[in-house]
Amino acid sequence: MMRISVRDVMTTRVAAAEAGTPFKDLAALLVGRGVSALPVLDGQRRVIGVVSEADLLRKEEFRELYRGEGYRPRLRARLRRLLAGRGEDGRRKAAGATAAELMSSPPVTVAPETSTVTAAQLMDARGVRRLVVVDEEGRLLGVVGRRDLLKAYTRDDAELKRWVEDAIPERWTDRRGITVEVRDGIVTLSGRTATRTEATAAVHLAKGLGGVVDVRPALSWRREGRGSPSARSSV
């Protein structure tokens, strides 16, 4: 089946830090490379955490520099961190001086073969804006962010149409077959399959392809099951 994987859209030229990288160097890397977070690596380039702008902004000296002495976050922000159980973690990071002391760990990682659909679901479930891509040994391969995942939706309609047609097995179609139409990334499936199960499966296959915005089924089938009459579908 044609699908877009994390490998197809990830960024491979990634700025990273070592566990002992000091605070000021981390700030310089984030600003200089124009990124919002850095993977933190051990001596074997295994990813052990991620340090972000938010982690550095917890530093008391950093807050005072930009906000003035005696600055405290708004009550709503303090309550939100408290309810999320991050109060102690924030205090620890505010006192941190190196990447190992400031980073969030363990990192949220994915394999390069992970589909972009699964990656998006993981981002949503874990409440993160980026995923670190690692090999089987946990070594850094790249980073995939929300903007990278949007690349999957830049494929043109003709390419998506070919992918959908290639994904649906010919043996599922009746004599009239399934007609695939794609407009603005939205796939319409019409025509006929031998059974209702095959019509449902064709819709699920199309939905699972990277770059498909939506699937609109207009399928009929020859029989519900063994000996059952045909019916119209809105699968």
Side-chain angles (χ1 to χ4, degrees):
M1 178 192 302
M2 294 288 187
R3 69 173 188 171
I4 301 175
S5 68
V6 166
R7 187 192 300 277
D8 299 320
V9 298
M10 70 182 185
T11 300
T12 56
R13 297 183 64 183
V14 180
E18 298 178 351
T21 303
F23 181 95
K24 285 190 175 182
D25 290 348
L26 293 170
L29 268 173
L30 288 168
V31 173
R33 295 295 294 271
V35 295
S36 59
L38 301 166
V40 182
L41 312 179
D42 66 11
Q44 286 72 48
R45 288 190 60 80
R46 290 190 295 260
V47 182
I48 57 175
V50 174
V51 62
S52 68
E53 291 174 330
D55 295 325
L56 268 63
L57 285 168
R58 291 190 174 99
K59 188 76 172 171
E60 293 293 340
E61 294 90 337
F62 207 76
R63 288 205 297 264
E64 290 177 4
L65 176 64
Y66 288 97
R67 297 287 191 167
E69 199 168 337
Y71 165 75
R72 295 189 71 201
R74 293 181 179 179
L75 177 61
R76 182 181 297 177
R78 299 202 306 273
L79 288 173
R80 186 167 59 247
R81 287 201 297 268
L82 182 63
L83 291 172
R86 296 199 298 266
E88 184 62 38
D89 183 59
R91 286 189 289 273
R92 175 183 64 80
K93 291 184 178 183
T98 66
E101 296 166 344
L102 292 159
M103 69 184 185
S104 299
S105 183
V108 184
T109 63
V110 290
E113 297 80 17
T114 304
S115 73
T116 54
V117 174
T118 300
Q121 292 170 344
L122 181 58
M123 283 186 190
D124 184 59
R126 298 296 296 272
V128 296
R129 293 186 294 177
R130 71 197 65 80
L131 302 169
V132 183
V133 187
V134 297
D135 65 14
E136 295 177 354
E137 303 298 324
R139 291 187 292 263
L140 178 66
L141 294 177
V143 170
V144 61
R146 292 174 176 175
R147 184 174 298 178
D148 296 317
L149 295 182
L150 290 177
K151 295 175 185 175
Y153 296 98
T154 63
R155 265 65 177 180
D156 62 43
D157 290 344
E159 183 178 13
L160 282 180
K161 183 176 186 294
R162 290 193 299 271
W163 283 19
V164 175
E165 290 173 339
D166 290 342
I168 299 173
E170 291 184 9
R171 60 184 175 81
W172 286 5
T173 61
D174 203 347
R175 283 179 299 177
R176 289 192 299 171
I178 296 177
T179 300
V180 179
E181 297 178 1
V182 182
R183 183 170 183 177
D184 296 329
I186 299 174
V187 176
T188 300
L189 299 180
S190 58
R192 193 176 205 183
T193 62
T195 67
R196 178 174 184 167
T197 299
E198 291 168 352
T200 302
V203 172
H204 288 320
L205 278 172
K207 286 182 176 180
L209 296 177
V212 171
V213 175
D214 194 12
V215 177
R216 296 175 179 173
L219 292 165
S220 62
W221 46 85
R222 189 152 46 91
R223 62 181 186 278
E224 288 278 344
R226 294 181 179 178
S228 299
S230 63
R232 185 74 180 174
S233 170
S234 57
V235 179

